[in-house]
């Protein structure tokens, strides 16, 4: 079984920062064997990939957040993080944590490639 719980969302002003956390609870295989990702979905829009991190720590992110967001993981804490800086109103969305056993999917970002999801945490950025 895989359970993911996001936290850290909230309301901030533009140019502010926020740190999201996703706590994973996995039975065998353990958390460290999963690649992890953050997606987001604004009202009326499709869910889009934001950033992902491999088991070995290598990362990838979408161009719209390049240089502003950083994804990281702490396997000892079974947690993946998303540090968001210089937030913009366009970043407003529900942010979801996702997991996939072993490596990132070849077609990342692809929602259908991730079998495990958290319930989401809302991030609202005001002007």
């Amino acid at each position: 079984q895989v359970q993911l719980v996001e936290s850290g969302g909230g309301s901030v002003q533009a140019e502010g920062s926020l740190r999201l956390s996703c706590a994973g609870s996995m039975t065998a295989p353990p958390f460290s064997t999963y690649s992890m990702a953050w997606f987001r979905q604004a009202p009326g829009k499709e869910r889009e990939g934001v950033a992902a991190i491999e088991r070995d720590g290598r990362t990838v992110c979408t161009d719209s957040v390049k240089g502003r967001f950083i994804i990281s993981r702490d396997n000892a804490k079974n947690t993946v993080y998303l540090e968001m800086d210089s937030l913009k109103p366009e970043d407003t969305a529900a942010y979801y944590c996702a997991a996939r056993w072993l490596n990132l999917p070849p077609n990342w970002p692809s929602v259908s490639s991730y079998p495990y999801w958290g319930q989401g945490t809302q991030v609202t950025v005001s002007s």
Side-chain angles (χ1 to χ4, degrees):
Q1 295 293 321
V2 176
Q3 290 186 303
L4 305 173
V5 181
E6 303 96 335
S7 63
S11 298
V12 298
Q13 295 190 79
E15 302 304 318
S17 299
L18 210 57
R19 181 184 175 89
L20 305 183
S21 298
C22 172
S25 295
M26 284 82 159
T27 58
F31 176 87
S32 61
T33 64
Y34 291 81
S35 58
M36 305 294 296
W38 286 97
F39 287 75
R40 66 185 180 186
Q41 186 169 23
K45 295 186 177 181
E46 294 185 349
R47 193 166 299 186
E48 66 169 343
V50 176
I53 185 166
E54 293 269 22
R55 294 175 293 151
D56 63 3
R58 287 179 291 179
T59 63
V60 63
C61 67
T62 188
D63 289 342
S64 64
V65 306
K66 195 82 172 181
R68 299 190 298 119
F69 291 9
I70 298 176
I71 187 171
S72 62
R73 67 191 297 161
D74 186 339
N75 290 336
K77 296 182 178 180
N78 290 354
T79 302
V80 62
Y81 304 95
L82 184 66
E83 177 66 37
M84 304 182 294
D85 297 319
S86 300
L87 284 162
K88 305 175 180 179
E90 305 93 274
D91 295 317
T92 295
Y95 283 71
Y96 297 88
C97 178
R100 182 177 187 270
W101 192 56
L102 297 182
N103 301 324
L104 269 65
N107 59 349
W108 191 92
S110 175
V111 172
S112 62
S113 295
Y114 285 85
Y116 309 112
W117 295 84
Q119 292 300 304
T121 184
Q122 180 66 37
V123 171
T124 301
V125 185
S126 60
S127 301

